[in-house]
Structure formats: C-alpha cells, structure tokens
Amino acid sequence: MDTILVIGAGGQIGTVLVQALQQKFGLSQVIASDLKASQSFTGIFEILDATKADDLMSLVRKYQVTQIYHLAAILSASGEANPVRTWELNMQTVLNVLEVARLENVNKVFIPSSIAVFGPSANPVHTSQQTYLDPTTVYGISKVAAENWMQYYHTKYNLDVRSIRYPGVISYQSMPGGGTTDYAVDIYHKAVQGQNYECFLSEDTRLPMIYMDDAIRATLELMDADAERITVRNSYNLAGLSFTPTEVAEAIQQFFPTFQTTYKPDFRQQIANSWPQSIDDSAARRDWGWKPAYDLPRMTEDMIHHLDHQYHADLTQV
Ligand code: NAD
Ligand code: AKB
C-alpha cells in the first residue's frame, strides 16, 4: 500500500491535490505537510520545513513514505522581490527531496516545473517540448535547474521522478501564491463580488493556463502511467487553454454583463511577455494519453458557479 507525503500542501495546488490523493489512496495514507498548520486539512498533517533535510528524512522514515509530491516553491512574481532567497529555497528543497528519496528508496517522486522555464528565445506559439530554455526570472532559472536535477537523478540513480510544466493554474478552491498568472483567479473573485477589476497585465497578453481539475487529473494520470511509457524525465509540457485578459473578461460578461476591466500593467508584464502564449503538449498526449477537459466557457461557468456559492454561503454566515 502506498504512503504519500505532500510537501507544501497548504498552497494553491496542494490543498486540492491532498484531497484528490486522500480520495484515491485513503485518508490514513496521505501525510500533508507545510511550514504552518492549516485548519483546512482533515487527515494527517505534519509541520515540515523542506529546506531541513534531516527533518524530511525523519518524516519519510516515520511514515515509511513511498511517494513524495513536492510542491513548496517561491513563484515568479514573489521571487523577483528576493532572488537569492528564492534560489536557495527552490533549489535546496528540490535537492533534499531527490536525495532523501534516493537514500530511502522512495518509489515515485513528483516535482512540478512551470511554463516559466521558457524565455525570449523559445518560439512563443505552440512552444515545443525541446527548445531554448532562457528564463528571465529567478523562479524560471530554479525550475530549469530542478528539471536538470530530476533528469540526473533518474539517469544516475534510476529514481522514478516525474514532472509537468504546469501552465498558470486557475482554481476556485484556493488562492494563488505570488505568480504572474494570478490575475486569472483574482478576476473571477472580483466579478462574483459585484466589483470591477484592475488587471496588472495588458489586455492582449495571451498566456497558457489550466483549470485546477485538469491540473490535478494530469498529475494523477502521469503518476499512474507505467514507467516504461515515460520518455520525458526532465518535465512534460502540458496545455490546458490559452487566453488574454480581454477574452476572460468577455467570458465573465456572459454571466455579469456590466462587469468591467481596466488595465494597469506592472512589473509582471515583462515576465508575461517572456513566456509562451500556447504550448505543444504532444509528448504528454502520446506517452500517457493527456487530454484537457476545460475550455474557457466551461471553466468560466464552473468557476462562477462555485465562487457564487462560496460568497453566498459566507454572507449567510455573517
Ligand atoms: P503556493 O505558493 O500556493 O504554495 C507553496 C506552499 O509551499 C505554501 O503553502 C508554502 O507555505 C509552502 N512552503 C514554502 N516554503 C516551504 C518550505 N521551506 N518547506 C515546506 N513548505 C514550504 O504554490 P502552488 O501554486 O501551490 O505551486 C505548487 C508547485 O507548483 C510549485 O512548485 C510551483 O512552482 C508549481 N507551479 C504552480 C503553478 C500555479 O499556477 N499555481 C504553475 C506552474 C507551476
Ligand atoms: C506563476 O505565475 O509564477 C505560476 C507559474 C506559471 O509557474 N503561476
């Protein structure tokens, strides 16, 4: 029976992934961990600072962990405020996870990468799996390095480490934590609260995104795939959908016709300009059958349905 450790479980993806893993493996088989305790978890929770290799090792031994999902990182926009700390945290935690997994014979490891690995030299349209990786952010640099470390641990030690280059993840269940794609969650919250939105990217900035349901399903499908089918050991490109702020605002106006967006680009615009507009994920489709389920209208309907319920339920509790 598998025992799963999720590191950085309190973040945007972790809060949703933990629930999916609990459903799949059982409540007693999933250990959620983060820097601070969170009220939102049912099941097992442990405080863990993943920069501390000994603490990570103790936890893996204590629960005889067989799979690790490592989600702790500082994202693109927050990372630019403190590049050295971002490099240290993003790299040290990845190295600790890989090394502990090797030493403790952990069966499978998942460490996400990001579209942030791409930079100005990559073709921005339908960006291919194998292309130039010249990121402009410290976050992107740390993800490229992490991809190379994953490849190294697989090649040298046969560690079964798997990865996806997530696009910007859009969710109603949890808030994003300091990325360049965060506007695409914020805009829905404002609309459902009856407010207009000031966007920090320009109206025509097209970026690759993915709905949380698709991102979680992709993660579980990759981790379920037979090892011999995995031909990419640095990180798989993954496509969900691509849109601009104008397009998402128009999709929201189908539900809230008076909703208005204004545009005031800040430092995140430069980051967004260096990223792809759309992604070629043919390797993921070929190797483990990836296919996204959500387009912009379907995602918008689902986001608004759930957020409407959340805000309405909150109001009735006041
Ligand atoms: P997040 O910022 O929402 O959550 C990260 C979590 O890690 C936080 O709960 C934080 O407390 C925790 N953490 C930070 N330092 C830690 C440490 N030293 N030890 C243990 N935990 C620590 O991030 P997210 O959006 O959930 O992203 C998860 C992963 O997916 C990251 O690797 C990120 O780069 C990647 N990713 C996310 C997106 C996205 O749009 N959310 C897109 C591409 C890639
Ligand atoms: C960010 O904007 O930094 C993240 C990502 C795409 O990695 N959402």
Side-chain angles (χ1 to χ4, degrees):
M1 206 191 307
D2 273 307
T3 305
I4 319 288
L5 173 63
V6 183
I7 301 169
Q12 186 194 7
I13 296 174
T15 49
V16 188
L17 183 63
V18 165
Q19 286 178 17
L21 291 167
Q22 286 173 336
Q23 273 174 13
K24 187 172 160 66
F25 293 96
L27 209 58
S28 61
Q29 297 310 115
V30 180
I31 297 101
S33 73
D34 207 301
L35 289 175
K36 282 186 281 182
S38 163
Q39 304 278 352
S40 64
F41 288 112
T42 43
I44 306 168
F45 181 85
E46 293 270 0
I47 302 270
L48 173 69
D49 178 349
T51 60
K52 299 189 172 148
D54 291 347
D55 293 355
L56 174 59
M57 177 76 90
S58 302
L59 210 54
V60 168
R61 285 185 179 155
K62 176 177 170 187
Y63 289 99
Q64 298 184 324
V65 168
T66 61
Q67 291 190 22
I68 301 178
Y69 291 71
H70 172 44
L71 304 175
I74 299 176
L75 276 65
S76 60
S78 302
E80 293 309 288
N82 197 336
V84 173
R85 184 176 132 65
T86 301
W87 172 258
E88 285 171 357
L89 187 135
N90 289 4
M91 291 324 305
Q92 192 60 61
T93 59
V94 164
L95 280 172
N96 288 347
V97 168
L98 291 171
E99 192 57 7
V100 168
R102 175 180 82 82
L103 292 169
E104 292 302 305
N105 295 316
V106 171
N107 293 341
K108 279 187 204 171
V109 179
F110 177 76
I111 305 178
S113 186
S114 162
I115 54 160
V117 293
F118 299 113
S121 301
N123 183 344
V125 179
H126 216 53
T127 304
S128 58
Q129 178 72 47
Q130 303 280 9
T131 184
Y132 299 102
L133 300 178
D134 58 347
T136 60
T137 61
V138 67
Y139 171 66
I141 297 170
S142 73
K143 289 293 184 188
V144 173
E147 288 191 3
N148 284 320
W149 276 113
M150 288 188 269
Q151 178 76 64
Y152 180 89
Y153 268 75
H154 176 68
T155 308
K156 185 154 177 147
Y157 304 117
N158 202 25
L159 183 70
D160 190 352
V161 53
R162 305 178 184 199
S163 180
I164 286 170
R165 289 172 178 155
Y166 288 135
V169 178
I170 299 171
S171 59
Y172 62 84
Q173 303 95 326
S174 51
M175 293 303 285
T180 304
T181 57
D182 294 11
Y183 92 85
V185 178
D186 300 342
I187 194 170
Y188 284 103
H189 281 264
K190 287 283 189 230
V192 171
Q193 292 176 89
Q195 298 169 24
N196 292 326
Y197 182 63
E198 185 179 275
C199 185
F200 58 75
L201 297 182
S202 67
E203 57 197 286
D204 54 355
T205 308
R206 185 174 301 283
L207 287 172
M209 303 281 186
I210 190 166
Y211 197 40
M212 182 65 89
D213 292 37
D214 274 345
I216 298 295
R217 184 168 55 80
T219 307
L220 299 182
E221 285 177 4
L222 170 64
M223 292 300 273
D224 267 351
D226 289 339
E228 56 270 22
R229 295 195 69 85
I230 309 296
T231 63
V232 176
R233 287 294 182 169
N234 54 351
S235 189
Y236 277 99
N237 274 10
L238 192 81
L241 62 166
S242 283
F243 55 78
T244 65
T246 304
E247 288 166 355
V248 70
E250 284 169 2
I252 290 171
Q253 279 168 344
Q254 300 297 312
F255 297 84
F256 301 103
T258 60
F259 176 67
Q260 294 297 322
T261 309
T262 50
Y263 299 93
K264 197 175 174 196
D266 64 16
F267 72 100
R268 289 168 281 195
Q269 184 66 47
Q270 264 194 317
I271 300 176
N273 289 347
S274 74
W275 286 356
Q277 297 170 20
S278 58
I279 297 289
D280 172 6
D281 63 356
S282 46
R285 289 172 185 258
R286 178 197 64 214
D287 288 359
W288 41 279
W290 168 243
K291 195 163 182 272
Y294 284 86
D295 59 11
L296 184 56
R298 185 171 175 212
M299 179 183 80
T300 300
E301 187 177 359
D302 206 57
M303 281 291 285
I304 289 175
H305 168 77
H306 283 99
L307 288 179
D308 209 28
H309 183 73
Q310 278 175 23
Y311 282 108
H312 182 69
D314 286 350
L315 284 178
T316 55
Q317 282 164 19
V318 172

